[in-house]
Amino acid sequence: VGLVLRYAWLMDDAYVYFRYVDNLVVGDAGLVWNPGEYVEGFSSPLWALVLAALRGMRLDYWTVVRAAGPLFFAAFWWLAVIVNRELVSDREKGRPSYDLPLVYLSVCYGVLCYFTSGLESPLALVMAGVYACAVLWPGSVVFQVLLGLSPLVRPELSVPLLLALIYIRLSTKRLPVAAVVSALLAVGGYVTFRIWYYADLFPNTFHLKDETWIAQGFRYLWDTLAPYWTLPFLGALGTLYIALRRQLSPRALHRNARVVMLVLALSVAAYVVKIGGAPIHFKDLAFPFALAALAGGGLLETATARWT
């Protein structure tokens, strides 16, 4: 939390949200950039709603961002803790926890600074923890409801939502009713509003980014992975898993859950690569970056318990 506050800043794109919200809350002109021009120019309806609620308390945006950042980080921290504890093999549960993924994510500048960027990244990072929990507890109504809200955080989270619904159906043998109802009410409701208010099915930001620029997308991906030693970190976790696989069954190591988390992360990363990334370092890959790291939880605890 100290580092989140130490790295507090405001990305210039955040002022897009601020202007829309001020026109809605303060200027009484509606959810628009310019009064009378009905164009949706922000990427996250849910983040705009959060900012509108806080701005309605007449707080300035610097205070809003510095207050929301630590709160969202605390939520992310808690989700990472329970994910790591669940991923420890059953025989080793209850032993000291090291939570290597959370330690790693808690010293990544990209992760920490985006909790106070003023953009929707805090919601995306928390949603990574929600998806990890939904994979581990697919029958949880709470996590299913939160899954249904994820496309309102960023439109491309519709892809992992669909994959998660399929996984929940296969793993529980039941239709994920809570997730489906949540998605229909939240996403369906907002899409209906968007068609009525903006006369468009998709946000303007989607139309602007709907292109294919794979070479630049891979450069953007490398620009995110290289500074934080992500590939060596994931490689070390993979090596640890392979070593443990010789002693423990795939079920004991939660293989299916880990694979699903990685697939969900890769689905978003693939979309970001397809559109060529973004002009802003790390932002569009915050969700898959965090989710891929969380998939390595519990391995260090399992290894130390068995090998000491």
Side-chain angles (χ1 to χ4, degrees), residues 138-141 144 164-180:
S140 168
V141 173
Q144 284 192 25
L165 293 179
I166 296 173
Y167 167 76
I168 293 173
R169 175 66 179 86
L170 294 176
S171 60
T172 64
K173 310 299 182 184
R174 296 180 179 178
L175 183 69
V177 176
V180 172

Side-chain angles (χ1 to χ4, degrees), residues 20-31:
Y20 270 88
V21 170
D22 268 11
N23 278 331
L24 175 66
V25 177
V26 180
D28 198 27
L31 198 58

Side-chain angles (χ1 to χ4, degrees), residues 262-273:
L262 292 175
V263 169
L264 295 177
L266 286 172
S267 69
V268 177
Y271 172 80
V272 175
V273 168

Side-chain angles (χ1 to χ4, degrees), residues 57-72:
M57 301 169 63
R58 293 303 186 262
L59 299 173
D60 65 87
Y61 286 113
W62 184 237
T63 300
V64 167
V65 168
R66 285 173 63 87
L71 290 176
F72 279 108

Side-chain angles (χ1 to χ4, degrees), residues 212-222 272-277:
T212 300
W213 194 5
I214 295 177
Q216 175 59 29
F218 277 115
R219 283 191 286 269
Y220 184 74
L221 180 64
W222 177 249
V272 175
V273 168
K274 181 262 181 188
I275 64 174

Side-chain angles (χ1 to χ4, degrees), residues 83-153:
V83 166
N84 187 80
R85 289 177 178 174
E86 184 64 19
L87 286 174
V88 177
S89 65
D90 292 337
R91 290 180 57 185
E92 280 72 37
K93 278 183 168 47
R95 292 176 179 269
S97 178
Y98 308 105
D99 210 333
L100 188 57
L102 181 56
V103 171
Y104 170 73
L105 293 169
S106 295
V107 294
C108 280
Y109 174 77
V111 174
L112 295 174
C113 75
Y114 272 101
F115 276 102
T116 59
S117 64
L119 300 173
E120 71 278 358
S121 303
L123 287 178
L125 288 163
V126 169
M127 197 57 69
V130 169
Y131 268 82
C133 290
V135 170
L136 292 170
W137 295 283
S140 168
V141 173
V142 172
F143 291 128
Q144 284 192 25
V145 169
L146 293 176
L147 283 186
L149 300 178
S150 61
L152 295 186
V153 175

Side-chain angles (χ1 to χ4, degrees), residues 9-62:
W9 67 307
L10 286 177
M11 177 66 196
D12 54 357
D13 279 16
Y15 286 85
V16 174
Y17 285 106
F18 299 165
R19 182 172 170 119
Y20 270 88
V21 170
D22 268 11
N23 278 331
L24 175 66
V25 177
V26 180
D28 198 27
L31 198 58
V32 294
W33 174 262
N34 290 325
E37 298 179 5
Y38 293 89
V39 179
E40 183 183 8
F42 50 88
S43 300
S44 175
L46 192 57
W47 183 240
L49 184 63
V50 170
L51 290 177
L54 296 173
R55 183 62 166 156
M57 301 169 63
R58 293 303 186 262
L59 299 173
D60 65 87
Y61 286 113
W62 184 237

